[in-house]
Each structure stands twice: as C-alpha cells, then as structure tokens.
Amino acid sequence: MSDAGDRSSDNFDGVGIVVVTHGRFGAELVAATEHAVGSMPAVRVLEVGPTDDIEERRRAIRQAGDAVNSGRGVIYIVDVFGSTPANLTRSVVQDTKPEGQAMMLANPNLAVMYKLAEARARDMPLADLLHTVRSAGRKNMLELGEALRGGRDTSE
C-alpha cells in the first residue's frame, strides 16, 4: 500500500483531484502532467496494490477526497473502469454527500489531465467540468493515419 502523492491544497479554491490507480501509474500520470503544466495544487495520488487491505484503501480514498475538497467538489481519476481502484473509488463517490460533490472519470490520458489542470479553477459546475475534461480526452485521441491526413475523428 502506498500513497504516492500529497500536494498541498492551501489557498486553492478549485476542484480537487484524487488519482487512484494500480501501482505507480497515477504518480507518473500526475508527474507527466506537471512536467507540462507546472505544479498542481489539491491533488492526491493513491496506489492500490494486490495485497492491500481493501477497507483501509477505501478509507484512504475518502480521506484524500476530503483533504482536497475546497467546497467545489472532487474529481476522482481511476486507471481502468471495473478495476479494484475504480470499484473502491466508485463506492466513495456514491457515498459522498451532498450528491454531486464527487465524480469519477476512468481511463485517463494526458489530454484529460492537461485540460483538468487548466480548467478546474474555473467557476463551473462539477458535472460541466467533467464533461469538458472527457471531451478533451476524446478529441485528442487520434490514429496516426488520420492525423497524417489532417483529419480528426468527430464521432462522439
């Protein structure tokens, strides 16, 4: 069991981020994002390992969300939908009160993380922020041949 990241949320008034993944994937995803966009406040990264105590991990996820929530809500990022990190996080999101203060996004890429880093301080409802971030991830996923032809997949 490991908590790979703990970035201060002091003086940050935006949406908090909790990244919950297998192994070091989350820490590396955040590190790659920060390499491009700079330091991201109010971010916690939690690793889930094969021998971790499930209830302890669930408590840690809940505590991480509480720690980064400035009152604007929390977006939980998980590596694979249906995985143990996702299932633990989903239960935390579903138990979060008031409803709508926590949302989960699975299968992130760097485009998602860049957009999240840029857009989360905006004054928009959490659901709108999640939609914006998800759209960025989809829009920036290209197949090489399509990219070389100058096209973009516009099907959503």
Side-chain angles (χ1 to χ4, degrees), residues 36-66:
V37 303
S39 181
M40 294 172 34
V43 174
R44 296 282 170 103
V45 179
L46 293 106
E47 299 174 1
V48 176
T51 61
D52 288 352
D53 178 280
I54 296 300
E55 288 309 314
E56 194 290 320
R57 286 285 79 188
R58 190 182 332 269
R59 276 190 300 279
I61 294 166
R62 185 173 290 109
Q63 290 170 348
D66 291 344

Side-chain angles (χ1 to χ4, degrees), residues 71-145:
R72 304 269 308 276
V74 178
I75 290 183
Y76 292 85
I77 304 290
V78 299
D79 51 2
V80 178
F81 186 76
S83 67
T84 300
N87 292 335
L88 290 170
T89 301
R90 181 182 46 145
S91 69
V92 169
V93 168
Q94 289 173 329
D95 290 344
T96 299
K97 303 291 184 235
E99 188 174 319
Q101 277 290 297
M103 298 190 140
M104 184 178 92
L105 181 65
N107 309 321
N109 58 31
L110 283 174
V112 163
M113 296 302 291
Y114 293 165
K115 180 55 82 174
L116 184 54
E118 179 264 328
R120 70 185 174 132
R122 294 184 194 164
D123 190 20
M124 69 172 74
L126 191 58
D128 292 347
L129 175 61
L130 189 63
H131 176 75
T132 298
V133 167
R134 191 176 77 186
S135 294
R138 287 180 176 167
K139 181 178 110 183
N140 288 291
M141 188 179 300
L142 297 173
E143 181 268 324
L144 178 61

